[in-house]
Amino acid sequence: MDYRMPLYIQLQDIIIKKIEEKKYLPGEAIPSERKMAETYGVNRMTVKSAINKLVEQGYLIRKPGAGTYVAQRDYKKIDLSYIDEITGNSGVTAMLTRSGMETSSKVLGFGEVAHSKYLNYKLALGGDETVYGLHRVRLAGNQPFAIEYTYMPKQDFEDIENFDFSKVSLYDYMDTKGHMPRHFIQNLIICEANEKVAELLGVERGTAVFKIESQGADKDYNLVEYTKSYMNPAFAEFRFLAEEK
């Protein structure tokens, strides 16, 4: 092990790799904490910390009196590499619909934001332009899976205030205006949930979550969306395709 990195994180990576390589199969019990401690030369508290994190992230489940098992990974998760080939829609609603999951939204806030140099820069607008901000918690069933802070140019969506986005899909609305996001620049990092994010996602403070920043452009490559979101990784997976040389 590399002792420059916390041991429990290294052990998490080892367990995840074994799950992904099918060395630990869904529904199978993993070795006991004592056995893992002996195998990897660490103390049991380190093993317990690693397992606790993987339980939080949905990789493992504990069965009282029976041990710790690999979670059944055939439940529906969002494939964040997905873009609908026909509509170009890569919105969360479209991805969840494709996965067979029902979604809903809780609107945290909505309104105009004027003279924000940062948001205007992200949307390639002039410094005096006004944008709309829409802040939501996204739910799958009754479980929160993401927090989204979305901003759009007012000039493209003048009647946006007439819609209730706890019921209406934002991307469906944008599509009616001819500004469905079809081209994306996205950046993802893994960060620890602060107190606010943890409360809204229903996880413990400090839990590792995905932070995704996305700029979306319409078919004519006009920037029409800037979104910053925090997502519980238990609800999402990423796939990377390597091109053959």
Side-chain angles (χ1 to χ4, degrees), residues 110-163:
F110 180 58
E112 295 184 1
V113 182
H115 311 302
S116 170
K117 291 183 180 180
Y118 177 76
L119 294 177
N120 286 343
Y121 169 73
K122 288 293 186 180
L123 291 166
L125 299 171
D128 295 329
E129 298 292 337
T130 298
V131 303
Y132 280 115
L134 173 62
H135 298 178
R136 296 176 293 173
V137 175
R138 311 303 304 279
L139 302 103
N142 293 319
Q143 292 185 283
F145 67 87
I147 311 162
E148 292 184 345
Y149 303 97
T150 300
Y151 302 92
M152 298 151 286
K154 178 180 178 179
Q155 63 192 20
D156 295 322
F157 306 104
E158 291 285 352
D159 64 347
I160 193 170
E161 292 180 330
N162 297 331
F163 294 84

Side-chain angles (χ1 to χ4, degrees), residues 12 53 56-57 189-193 201 203-211 231-234:
Q12 285 180 63
K53 286 294 184 182
E56 288 177 14
Q57 295 172 16
I189 64 172
I190 297 174
C191 66
E192 293 186 351
L201 286 180
V203 299
E204 293 185 7
R205 182 174 179 176
T207 297
V209 297
F210 293 140
K211 178 183 177 182
M231 182 174 289
N232 185 338

Side-chain angles (χ1 to χ4, degrees), residues 192-218:
E192 293 186 351
N194 61 27
E195 185 174 354
K196 181 178 181 181
V197 169
E199 179 182 359
L200 291 172
L201 286 180
V203 299
E204 293 185 7
R205 182 174 179 176
T207 297
V209 297
F210 293 140
K211 178 183 177 182
I212 306 167
E213 288 193 68
S214 175
Q215 291 168 284
D218 62 18

Side-chain angles (χ1 to χ4, degrees), residues 25-66:
L25 296 176
E28 179 183 14
I30 66 171
S32 68
E33 292 179 3
R34 179 184 60 80
K35 182 65 175 179
M36 281 199 175
E38 292 176 355
T39 300
Y40 297 107
V42 297
N43 62 50
R44 289 185 64 174
M45 286 303 298
T46 297
V47 178
K48 186 180 292 292
S49 295
I51 289 175
N52 285 343
K53 286 294 184 182
L54 294 179
V55 169
E56 288 177 14
Q57 295 172 16
Y59 286 98
L60 302 174
I61 57 173
R62 292 187 185 277
K63 296 184 179 181

